[in-house]
Amino acid sequence: MRGARKPRRAVRFAAVAAVALLAGSLPGPDSAAGAPDGKVTLGYACRFPAGTGTDGAGTGTDSGTDSGTASASSDGAATAAGSGTPGGTGRAVVADATVTVVQNYPDTAVVGKPIQPGDPTVTLTLSHTAAAALLPAGAATLTGTASLTAHVSQGASRADAVWPSLTAPAAPADGDGDVVLTFGGPVPPVTVTAPGDVRFAAGELDLKLTPKAGAPSSPPDSPSPGAGGGTSTDAGTDTGAADAAGAGTQAATSADGTPSGTPTGAPAPLADLVGTCTPKPGQDDLLGAVPVAGAADGGATGPGHAAPPGAGSGSDSASGGATGTRAHTGTGAPATGTTGTRSAGGNTITLSSPPHSGVHDCEDPPKGDTDPAVMASIPRPSNAVRSPGPDDPPFPPYSQCGYVTGYSNVMKLHGAAVINDLTRKPTRVTVVQKSLWTEFTNPDPLQQYFEIDSIAKLALPPSETSFLTFGFMPVTARMELLPKGLMTVVTVGTSNLGTITTSTIYGKQELRLSDVKVNGVPLDVGRNCRASAPLDIKLVGYDRSSLTGRPTGPTDYGVQDGGPLAQDDLYIPPFTGCGSHGENLNSLFTSSISGHGNSLNLIQGPLCVPIAASGCDPEIAFPEPPHH
């Protein structure tokens, strides 16, 4: 970035991303419940830095540092003094938690063939005292998303498999007992190139928890006018936030003075809480172990069994073969591991990888500016300075570009669909940086401020999608998402270690359906079948890499390096214009697709900067697709 440098640590900037929603989906098989012998319970320490709401920049110090005054409760909840209110995002919180993982693993596997762990069930339990220290006052329910890191080992080989997009339904948070959240979702496979036991051990659990103060008075599928993306405006943080009131829409009031987009009688929105939980040392963290036979030995995978509690988590010998006794299988009897030679000169473990793009350059930079409504709604410090200033020339409009892919989860269809399929001529997002806001003069480092604003352009290709309407009627359709202007990207952070940087991406997409077939028979929906209003996009990504003692991980998002982005509640408006020859089909699509509770789970790849010395060689990298 020209003319600005962040003290104490460099800011990763540029800009990023864009998205769209795929309304149809092909429901997958239900997740299988884990066997009783697959239950592993561990103690975790969870850290929620100050100012970690969705809109926050992570402006407080980490509770693990010595810059705050900490107090601890008898059951392991601790808080570090900050400038916010108790139980909110204004102070750091450290809390003990119990995490139980139930998961199956295959009985055996074969070299070169995917090892598919079963869908995990991850239960997070917070004591009443710990939850009270963490949650803001008035929180009635709690939901969230999680990413669990599994440490995979075979002999001397190591790899970290990240299991993202685990989701938990709402759980009560206002009672006198513990708060219990149960996360679940599918996980990707791994492959090994040598025989020997492959072990999976529990690692970090990254959390985004969403407290809610209670149900609004209006029905969830009947949003008030101007409700935007269906996501409540998040509470601000102490030093400024990257959020806007609504997904890029201007604040307005209705005839009776009620703010547009807020249901009458709705409780005040509460900020999300973002933190990382780490297993406490000295525990048996083994989730499961799978013996792998050589390809010549044959061997078939069968129904899975997880390693039982108490099975050791030591690694195999450096030769790659298991020497001695491996973890017990579901039969209850120890089994002798196979012996073999590890592939020379490299790691034996291969995580699933995306295809190659073959693209080496960016498109011309888009012309335009950031959304004025978004810019006006960001609560910056009053003395923050904008660059370029009103009398300065604009930043040179050079392109940066990359790929974004992922899934849309459609609540009513209980399934997910691919966005920007990397195997079918995906399009690139093109980004241009527009402005910078800084405030580094305040002697209090917690009151310093840094903001980068950019525009992004993404026109997604049409997609052929399949779904089951009402759970039994197969329907295929061609879906188009047409961008309504440019997207606005806002990244907010500070110059301090122990903080979290937040990036928020705003935009609008028009959803259209055509070429619909019901059970293979064409259904004429006309040429104007669409959602009655644009979809309001508001994606959020977090960079936790500056937390004390925590290296950059696969769940961190940086606008330049990419990473995971999510929108937890995307509202799909009712459909209109669907039908022909006097037949009105609006209600069919409205009842099967429209409403709240939909979500986006995306991964952005690293951005290519053509003007840099390395250009985009050898190619613009595809991101690893998330799992729905």
Side-chain angles (χ1 to χ4, degrees), residues 259-289:
S260 176
T262 303
T264 302
L270 303 177
D272 290 348
L273 303 163
V274 181
T276 297
C277 300
T278 305
K280 295 181 179 180
Q283 301 180 95
D284 181 359
D285 56 4
L286 185 67
L287 298 173

PDB file of all heavy atoms in Angstrom, residues 259-289:
ATOM      1  N   PRO A 259     -36.691   2.136  12.603  1.00  0.00           N
ATOM      2  CA  PRO A 259     -35.638   1.976  11.594  1.00  0.00           C
ATOM      3  C   PRO A 259     -35.980   0.881  10.618  1.00  0.00           C
ATOM      4  O   PRO A 259     -36.432  -0.189  10.990  1.00  0.00           O
ATOM      5  CB  PRO A 259     -34.403   1.607  12.442  1.00  0.00           C
ATOM      6  CG  PRO A 259     -34.692   2.144  13.817  1.00  0.00           C
ATOM      7  CD  PRO A 259     -36.181   2.013  13.967  1.00  0.00           C
ATOM      8  N   SER A 260     -35.777   1.157   9.319  1.00  0.00           N
ATOM      9  CA  SER A 260     -36.026   0.157   8.294  1.00  0.00           C
ATOM     10  C   SER A 260     -35.081  -1.005   8.467  1.00  0.00           C
ATOM     11  O   SER A 260     -33.905  -0.827   8.703  1.00  0.00           O
ATOM     12  CB  SER A 260     -35.812   0.770   6.909  1.00  0.00           C
ATOM     13  OG  SER A 260     -35.954  -0.199   5.911  1.00  0.00           O
ATOM     14  N   GLY A 261     -35.599  -2.220   8.341  1.00  0.00           N
ATOM     15  CA  GLY A 261     -34.778  -3.411   8.476  1.00  0.00           C
ATOM     16  C   GLY A 261     -34.815  -3.982   9.873  1.00  0.00           C
ATOM     17  O   GLY A 261     -34.243  -5.023  10.125  1.00  0.00           O
ATOM     18  N   THR A 262     -35.433  -3.307  10.836  1.00  0.00           N
ATOM     19  CA  THR A 262     -35.517  -3.815  12.198  1.00  0.00           C
ATOM     20  C   THR A 262     -36.964  -4.134  12.523  1.00  0.00           C
ATOM     21  O   THR A 262     -37.806  -3.250  12.572  1.00  0.00           O
ATOM     22  CB  THR A 262     -34.993  -2.766  13.198  1.00  0.00           C
ATOM     23  OG1 THR A 262     -33.657  -2.426  12.846  1.00  0.00           O
ATOM     24  CG2 THR A 262     -35.039  -3.299  14.609  1.00  0.00           C
ATOM     25  N   PRO A 263     -37.327  -5.419  12.750  1.00  0.00           N
ATOM     26  CA  PRO A 263     -38.702  -5.754  13.064  1.00  0.00           C
ATOM     27  C   PRO A 263     -39.151  -5.049  14.336  1.00  0.00           C
ATOM     28  O   PRO A 263     -38.375  -4.887  15.280  1.00  0.00           O
ATOM     29  CB  PRO A 263     -38.652  -7.284  13.258  1.00  0.00           C
ATOM     30  CG  PRO A 263     -37.387  -7.721  12.561  1.00  0.00           C
ATOM     31  CD  PRO A 263     -36.454  -6.589  12.697  1.00  0.00           C
ATOM     32  N   THR A 264     -40.389  -4.634  14.341  1.00  0.00           N
ATOM     33  CA  THR A 264     -40.923  -3.963  15.511  1.00  0.00           C
ATOM     34  C   THR A 264     -40.813  -4.870  16.721  1.00  0.00           C
ATOM     35  O   THR A 264     -41.207  -6.024  16.706  1.00  0.00           O
ATOM     36  CB  THR A 264     -42.399  -3.599  15.279  1.00  0.00           C
ATOM     37  OG1 THR A 264     -42.482  -2.777  14.111  1.00  0.00           O
ATOM     38  CG2 THR A 264     -42.960  -2.854  16.462  1.00  0.00           C
ATOM     39  N   GLY A 265     -40.256  -4.352  17.800  1.00  0.00           N
ATOM     40  CA  GLY A 265     -40.109  -5.142  19.016  1.00  0.00           C
ATOM     41  C   GLY A 265     -38.904  -6.052  19.020  1.00  0.00           C
ATOM     42  O   GLY A 265     -38.701  -6.798  19.959  1.00  0.00           O
ATOM     43  N   ALA A 266     -38.060  -6.017  17.980  1.00  0.00           N
ATOM     44  CA  ALA A 266     -36.896  -6.882  17.931  1.00  0.00           C
ATOM     45  C   ALA A 266     -35.873  -6.431  18.964  1.00  0.00           C
ATOM     46  O   ALA A 266     -35.676  -5.245  19.188  1.00  0.00           O
ATOM     47  CB  ALA A 266     -36.266  -6.853  16.540  1.00  0.00           C
ATOM     48  N   PRO A 267     -35.190  -7.383  19.625  1.00  0.00           N
ATOM     49  CA  PRO A 267     -34.169  -7.007  20.591  1.00  0.00           C
ATOM     50  C   PRO A 267     -32.953  -6.427  19.896  1.00  0.00           C
ATOM     51  O   PRO A 267     -32.737  -6.621  18.707  1.00  0.00           O
ATOM     52  CB  PRO A 267     -33.837  -8.343  21.269  1.00  0.00           C
ATOM     53  CG  PRO A 267     -34.186  -9.372  20.243  1.00  0.00           C
ATOM     54  CD  PRO A 267     -35.367  -8.816  19.498  1.00  0.00           C
ATOM     55  N   ALA A 268     -32.148  -5.705  20.654  1.00  0.00           N
ATOM     56  CA  ALA A 268     -30.927  -5.139  20.086  1.00  0.00           C
ATOM     57  C   ALA A 268     -30.003  -6.265  19.632  1.00  0.00           C
ATOM     58  O   ALA A 268     -29.903  -7.291  20.290  1.00  0.00           O
ATOM     59  CB  ALA A 268     -30.233  -4.275  21.141  1.00  0.00           C
ATOM     60  N   PRO A 269     -29.342  -6.108  18.491  1.00  0.00           N
ATOM     61  CA  PRO A 269     -28.442  -7.161  18.005  1.00  0.00           C
ATOM     62  C   PRO A 269     -27.237  -7.318  18.919  1.00  0.00           C
ATOM     63  O   PRO A 269     -26.783  -6.367  19.552  1.00  0.00           O
ATOM     64  CB  PRO A 269     -28.046  -6.671  16.617  1.00  0.00           C
ATOM     65  CG  PRO A 269     -28.209  -5.183  16.678  1.00  0.00           C
ATOM     66  CD  PRO A 269     -29.372  -4.947  17.599  1.00  0.00           C
ATOM     67  N   LEU A 270     -26.699  -8.522  18.978  1.00  0.00           N
ATOM     68  CA  LEU A 270     -25.533  -8.822  19.793  1.00  0.00           C
ATOM     69  C   LEU A 270     -24.380  -9.220  18.886  1.00  0.00           C
ATOM     70  O   LEU A 270     -24.580  -9.842  17.847  1.00  0.00           O
ATOM     71  CB  LEU A 270     -25.850  -9.963  20.777  1.00  0.00           C
ATOM     72  CG  LEU A 270     -27.040  -9.727  21.715  1.00  0.00           C
ATOM     73  CD1 LEU A 270     -27.301 -10.956  22.579  1.00  0.00           C
ATOM     74  CD2 LEU A 270     -26.798  -8.513  22.606  1.00  0.00           C
ATOM     75  N   ALA A 271     -23.178  -8.867  19.276  1.00  0.00           N
ATOM     76  CA  ALA A 271     -22.008  -9.121  18.445  1.00  0.00           C
ATOM     77  C   ALA A 271     -21.577 -10.577  18.543  1.00  0.00           C
ATOM     78  O   ALA A 271     -21.717 -11.233  19.576  1.00  0.00           O
ATOM     79  CB  ALA A 271     -20.857  -8.211  18.867  1.00  0.00           C
ATOM     80  N   ASP A 272     -21.037 -11.093  17.439  1.00  0.00           N
ATOM     81  CA  ASP A 272     -20.447 -12.430  17.447  1.00  0.00           C
ATOM     82  C   ASP A 272     -19.180 -12.437  18.296  1.00  0.00           C
ATOM     83  O   ASP A 272     -18.539 -11.417  18.510  1.00  0.00           O
ATOM     84  CB  ASP A 272     -20.087 -12.863  16.028  1.00  0.00           C
ATOM     85  CG  ASP A 272     -21.309 -13.152  15.174  1.00  0.00           C
ATOM     86  OD1 ASP A 272     -22.408 -13.240  15.737  1.00  0.00           O
ATOM     87  OD2 ASP A 272     -21.160 -13.275  13.953  1.00  0.00           O
ATOM     88  N   LEU A 273     -18.828 -13.626  18.764  1.00  0.00           N
ATOM     89  CA  LEU A 273     -17.631 -13.825  19.573  1.00  0.00           C
ATOM     90  C   LEU A 273     -16.711 -14.785  18.831  1.00  0.00           C
ATOM     91  O   LEU A 273     -17.129 -15.878  18.456  1.00  0.00           O
ATOM     92  CB  LEU A 273     -17.999 -14.400  20.945  1.00  0.00           C
ATOM     93  CG  LEU A 273     -18.989 -13.541  21.748  1.00  0.00           C
ATOM     94  CD1 LEU A 273     -19.615 -14.346  22.867  1.00  0.00           C
ATOM     95  CD2 LEU A 273     -18.274 -12.327  22.325  1.00  0.00           C
ATOM     96  N   VAL A 274     -15.486 -14.381  18.612  1.00  0.00           N
ATOM     97  CA  VAL A 274     -14.539 -15.165  17.838  1.00  0.00           C
ATOM     98  C   VAL A 274     -13.366 -15.543  18.734  1.00  0.00           C
ATOM     99  O   VAL A 274     -12.756 -14.683  19.368  1.00  0.00           O
ATOM    100  CB  VAL A 274     -14.025 -14.379  16.619  1.00  0.00           C
ATOM    101  CG1 VAL A 274     -13.052 -15.211  15.807  1.00  0.00           C
ATOM    102  CG2 VAL A 274     -15.204 -13.938  15.755  1.00  0.00           C
ATOM    103  N   GLY A 275     -13.051 -16.819  18.797  1.00  0.00           N
ATOM    104  CA  GLY A 275     -11.964 -17.262  19.663  1.00  0.00           C
ATOM    105  C   GLY A 275     -11.375 -18.576  19.213  1.00  0.00           C
ATOM    106  O   GLY A 275     -11.853 -19.209  18.267  1.00  0.00           O
ATOM    107  N   THR A 276     -10.338 -18.994  19.900  1.00  0.00           N
ATOM    108  CA  THR A 276      -9.635 -20.232  19.606  1.00  0.00           C
ATOM    109  C   THR A 276      -9.493 -21.049  20.876  1.00  0.00           C
ATOM    110  O   THR A 276      -9.080 -20.523  21.922  1.00  0.00           O
ATOM    111  CB  THR A 276      -8.246 -19.946  19.015  1.00  0.00           C
ATOM    112  OG1 THR A 276      -8.400 -19.252  17.774  1.00  0.00           O
ATOM    113  CG2 THR A 276      -7.475 -21.231  18.767  1.00  0.00           C
ATOM    114  N   CYS A 277      -9.847 -22.325  20.783  1.00  0.00           N
ATOM    115  CA  CYS A 277      -9.722 -23.241  21.909  1.00  0.00           C
ATOM    116  C   CYS A 277      -8.576 -24.214  21.632  1.00  0.00           C
ATOM    117  O   CYS A 277      -8.474 -24.761  20.532  1.00  0.00           O
ATOM    118  CB  CYS A 277     -11.019 -24.032  22.118  1.00  0.00           C
ATOM    119  SG  CYS A 277     -12.470 -22.994  22.459  1.00  0.00           S
ATOM    120  N   THR A 278      -7.736 -24.433  22.635  1.00  0.00           N
ATOM    121  CA  THR A 278      -6.557 -25.293  22.494  1.00  0.00           C
ATOM    122  C   THR A 278      -6.627 -26.420  23.498  1.00  0.00           C
ATOM    123  O   THR A 278      -6.936 -26.178  24.682  1.00  0.00           O
ATOM    124  CB  THR A 278      -5.274 -24.469  22.727  1.00  0.00           C
ATOM    125  OG1 THR A 278      -5.267 -23.345  21.831  1.00  0.00           O
ATOM    126  CG2 THR A 278      -4.033 -25.314  22.487  1.00  0.00           C
ATOM    127  N   PRO A 279      -6.345 -27.670  23.078  1.00  0.00           N
ATOM    128  CA  PRO A 279      -6.379 -28.775  24.047  1.00  0.00           C
ATOM    129  C   PRO A 279      -5.359 -28.555  25.160  1.00  0.00           C
ATOM    130  O   PRO A 279      -4.234 -28.105  24.913  1.00  0.00           O
ATOM    131  CB  PRO A 279      -6.021 -30.004  23.194  1.00  0.00           C
ATOM    132  CG  PRO A 279      -6.255 -29.608  21.783  1.00  0.00           C
ATOM    133  CD  PRO A 279      -6.007 -28.137  21.720  1.00  0.00           C
ATOM    134  N   LYS A 280      -5.736 -28.857  26.371  1.00  0.00           N
ATOM    135  CA  LYS A 280      -4.798 -28.771  27.481  1.00  0.00           C
ATOM    136  C   LYS A 280      -3.763 -29.893  27.371  1.00  0.00           C
ATOM    137  O   LYS A 280      -4.067 -30.981  26.874  1.00  0.00           O
ATOM    138  CB  LYS A 280      -5.553 -28.865  28.806  1.00  0.00           C
ATOM    139  CG  LYS A 280      -6.499 -27.686  29.025  1.00  0.00           C
ATOM    140  CD  LYS A 280      -7.225 -27.786  30.354  1.00  0.00           C
ATOM    141  CE  LYS A 280      -8.144 -26.587  30.564  1.00  0.00           C
ATOM    142  NZ  LYS A 280      -8.870 -26.669  31.858  1.00  0.00           N
ATOM    143  N   PRO A 281      -2.535 -29.622  27.765  1.00  0.00           N
ATOM    144  CA  PRO A 281      -1.478 -30.634  27.605  1.00  0.00           C
ATOM    145  C   PRO A 281      -1.697 -31.843  28.514  1.00  0.00           C
ATOM    146  O   PRO A 281      -2.431 -31.785  29.505  1.00  0.00           O
ATOM    147  CB  PRO A 281      -0.208 -29.867  27.994  1.00  0.00           C
ATOM    148  CG  PRO A 281      -0.684 -28.742  28.869  1.00  0.00           C
ATOM    149  CD  PRO A 281      -2.044 -28.372  28.358  1.00  0.00           C
ATOM    150  N   GLY A 282      -1.047 -32.944  28.134  1.00  0.00           N
ATOM    151  CA  GLY A 282      -1.061 -34.137  28.969  1.00  0.00           C
ATOM    152  C   GLY A 282      -2.291 -35.013  28.809  1.00  0.00           C
ATOM    153  O   GLY A 282      -2.526 -35.894  29.647  1.00  0.00           O
ATOM    154  N   GLN A 283      -3.077 -34.808  27.759  1.00  0.00           N
ATOM    155  CA  GLN A 283      -4.284 -35.610  27.548  1.00  0.00           C
ATOM    156  C   GLN A 283      -4.085 -36.573  26.377  1.00  0.00           C
ATOM    157  O   GLN A 283      -3.260 -36.334  25.488  1.00  0.00           O
ATOM    158  CB  GLN A 283      -5.479 -34.714  27.243  1.00  0.00           C
ATOM    159  CG  GLN A 283      -5.818 -33.701  28.312  1.00  0.00           C
ATOM    160  CD  GLN A 283      -7.030 -32.862  27.902  1.00  0.00           C
ATOM    161  OE1 GLN A 283      -8.163 -33.157  28.270  1.00  0.00           O
ATOM    162  NE2 GLN A 283      -6.786 -31.818  27.139  1.00  0.00           N
ATOM    163  N   ASP A 284      -4.839 -37.639  26.378  1.00  0.00           N
ATOM    164  CA  ASP A 284      -4.854 -38.555  25.244  1.00  0.00           C
ATOM    165  C   ASP A 284      -5.798 -37.967  24.195  1.00  0.00           C
ATOM    166  O   ASP A 284      -7.013 -38.044  24.327  1.00  0.00           O
ATOM    167  CB  ASP A 284      -5.340 -39.936  25.701  1.00  0.00           C
ATOM    168  CG  ASP A 284      -5.346 -40.952  24.567  1.00  0.00           C
ATOM    169  OD1 ASP A 284      -4.984 -40.576  23.440  1.00  0.00           O
ATOM    170  OD2 ASP A 284      -5.724 -42.104  24.812  1.00  0.00           O
ATOM    171  N   ASP A 285      -5.217 -37.373  23.150  1.00  0.00           N
ATOM    172  CA  ASP A 285      -6.009 -36.635  22.163  1.00  0.00           C
ATOM    173  C   ASP A 285      -6.293 -37.441  20.912  1.00  0.00           C
ATOM    174  O   ASP A 285      -6.700 -36.882  19.893  1.00  0.00           O
ATOM    175  CB  ASP A 285      -5.308 -35.331  21.790  1.00  0.00           C
ATOM    176  CG  ASP A 285      -3.879 -35.545  21.278  1.00  0.00           C
ATOM    177  OD1 ASP A 285      -3.468 -36.717  21.149  1.00  0.00           O
ATOM    178  OD2 ASP A 285      -3.192 -34.548  21.019  1.00  0.00           O
ATOM    179  N   LEU A 286      -6.085 -38.765  20.943  1.00  0.00           N
ATOM    180  CA  LEU A 286      -6.281 -39.595  19.759  1.00  0.00           C
ATOM    181  C   LEU A 286      -7.760 -39.708  19.409  1.00  0.00           C
ATOM    182  O   LEU A 286      -8.585 -40.103  20.230  1.00  0.00           O
ATOM    183  CB  LEU A 286      -5.696 -40.990  19.988  1.00  0.00           C
ATOM    184  CG  LEU A 286      -5.725 -41.930  18.783  1.00  0.00           C
ATOM    185  CD1 LEU A 286      -4.803 -41.430  17.685  1.00  0.00           C
ATOM    186  CD2 LEU A 286      -5.349 -43.340  19.197  1.00  0.00           C
ATOM    187  N   LEU A 287      -8.094 -39.338  18.187  1.00  0.00           N
ATOM    188  CA  LEU A 287      -9.459 -39.485  17.689  1.00  0.00           C
ATOM    189  C   LEU A 287      -9.684 -40.844  17.039  1.00  0.00           C
ATOM    190  O   LEU A 287     -10.761 -41.424  17.131  1.00  0.00           O
ATOM    191  CB  LEU A 287      -9.774 -38.385  16.669  1.00  0.00           C
ATOM    192  CG  LEU A 287      -9.718 -36.938  17.169  1.00  0.00           C
ATOM    193  CD1 LEU A 287      -9.875 -35.979  16.000  1.00  0.00           C
ATOM    194  CD2 LEU A 287     -10.798 -36.703  18.209  1.00  0.00           C
ATOM    195  N   GLY A 288      -8.693 -41.348  16.328  1.00  0.00           N
ATOM    196  CA  GLY A 288      -8.834 -42.628  15.643  1.00  0.00           C
ATOM    197  C   GLY A 288      -7.546 -43.012  14.961  1.00  0.00           C
ATOM    198  O   GLY A 288      -6.670 -42.180  14.734  1.00  0.00           O
ATOM    199  N   ALA A 289      -7.404 -44.288  14.651  1.00  0.00           N
ATOM    200  CA  ALA A 289      -6.230 -44.793  13.944  1.00  0.00           C
ATOM    201  C   ALA A 289      -6.694 -45.803  12.908  1.00  0.00           C
ATOM    202  O   ALA A 289      -7.575 -46.628  13.179  1.00  0.00           O
ATOM    203  CB  ALA A 289      -5.253 -45.438  14.923  1.00  0.00           C
TER     204      ALA A 289
END
